[in-house]
Amino acid sequence: MSRKNMIGAVLLAILAPQLLPAQQQQMTLHNVSGETFDVPLRKALPVDAPRVRYPGFKQETLILKAGTVRREGAMPLPCDILLERDIPIKLRDGVTIYTDVFRPVNEENCPAILAWSPYGKEIGGQMLDDVPMRSGVAISATSGLEKFEGPDPAYWVAHGYAVVNPGKRGAYMSKATCFTGDMKMRLTAAM
């Protein structure tokens, strides 16, 4: 066996358990016609996994002070921000999800931007640092309050908006199963 093949075999033996899918789980869904079909289901990482970067469940209201720097090199907060963490919202089917709301301190009513995604309410399991060259976004251009693919609350609150970051169903502490992608797309692909 050549040295190259031997190295490949050793690497395969080491990595194979990590490359093979874990025991496949499935969930049965129903399409609009009432037909059933099975879809693969992958469990989310536990909230205490280091890659998740979950700050923990804590219902609280904080005032984030102007000038605060969340992480080295990030933009300082341009104004005071009222942060309401882990607000429970009961959906009409009875499922409870949790949301974080960033808003101006002195304004009771303001327009809101809803940042709906499977990435949680804060930085979560995905962040710009995980993407090559941060997708061209400098650390100094963001405050560190933004969630992946979401608006930066520091920018929008300074312009009079609230930013609402829900943890969609199944993400982190929100209940139920987290589906990603468009339901029509999944139904069409399954038919």
Side-chain angles (χ1 to χ4, degrees):
M1 181 181 271
S2 73
R3 179 176 166 84
K4 185 177 178 182
N5 288 343
M6 183 182 296
I7 292 171
V10 168
L11 284 175
L12 183 61
I14 293 169
L15 296 175
Q18 297 168 21
L19 297 175
L20 296 174
Q23 182 180 2
Q24 185 75 40
Q25 296 183 358
Q26 291 194 339
M27 174 180 229
T28 301
L29 295 179
H30 305 270
N31 67 17
V32 293
S33 302
E35 299 168 312
T36 62
F37 55 95
D38 291 332
V39 295
L41 181 66
R42 184 185 72 161
K43 290 278 188 189
L45 290 173
V47 295
D48 59 352
R51 185 182 174 342
V52 173
R53 303 177 187 108
Y54 182 59
F57 183 83
K58 189 172 186 182
Q59 292 179 312
E60 63 183 347
T61 299
L62 304 168
I63 295 179
L64 308 176
K65 294 304 223 173
T68 301
V69 177
R70 183 173 168 103
R71 62 180 284 202
E72 187 177 336
M75 170 181 74
L77 300 183
C79 64
D80 288 351
I81 298 173
L82 182 67
L83 167 59
E84 298 169 283
R85 286 194 64 213
D86 292 317
I87 299 170
I89 298 174
K90 186 166 258 185
L91 304 178
R92 63 182 156 203
D93 64 357
V95 170
T96 299
I97 63 171
Y98 294 91
T99 191
D100 290 348
V101 178
F102 298 86
R103 60 187 177 95
V105 173
N106 297 326
E107 294 184 37
E108 289 193 23
N109 292 318
C110 60
I113 300 170
L114 179 67
W116 193 265
S117 76
Y119 301 115
K121 301 180 285 96
E122 288 194 42
I123 291 173
Q126 183 77 10
M127 59 189 283
L128 281 172
D129 291 353
D130 298 333
V131 179
M133 299 183 310
R134 291 181 46 91
S135 291
V137 179
I139 291 175
S140 61
T142 58
S143 69
L145 293 175
E146 72 284 347
K147 71 181 198 175
F148 188 67
E149 295 183 346
D152 188 344
Y155 174 86
W156 289 101
V157 170
H159 288 85
Y161 288 82
V163 174
V164 180
N165 285 343
K168 73 180 266 183
R169 41 174 84 233
Y172 301 89
M173 300 309 287
S174 293
K175 306 302 178 205
T177 301
C178 182
F179 290 106
T180 58
D182 178 75
M183 180 55 105
K184 283 184 184 176
M185 182 178 69
R186 284 196 311 276
L187 290 174
T188 303
M191 295 175 122

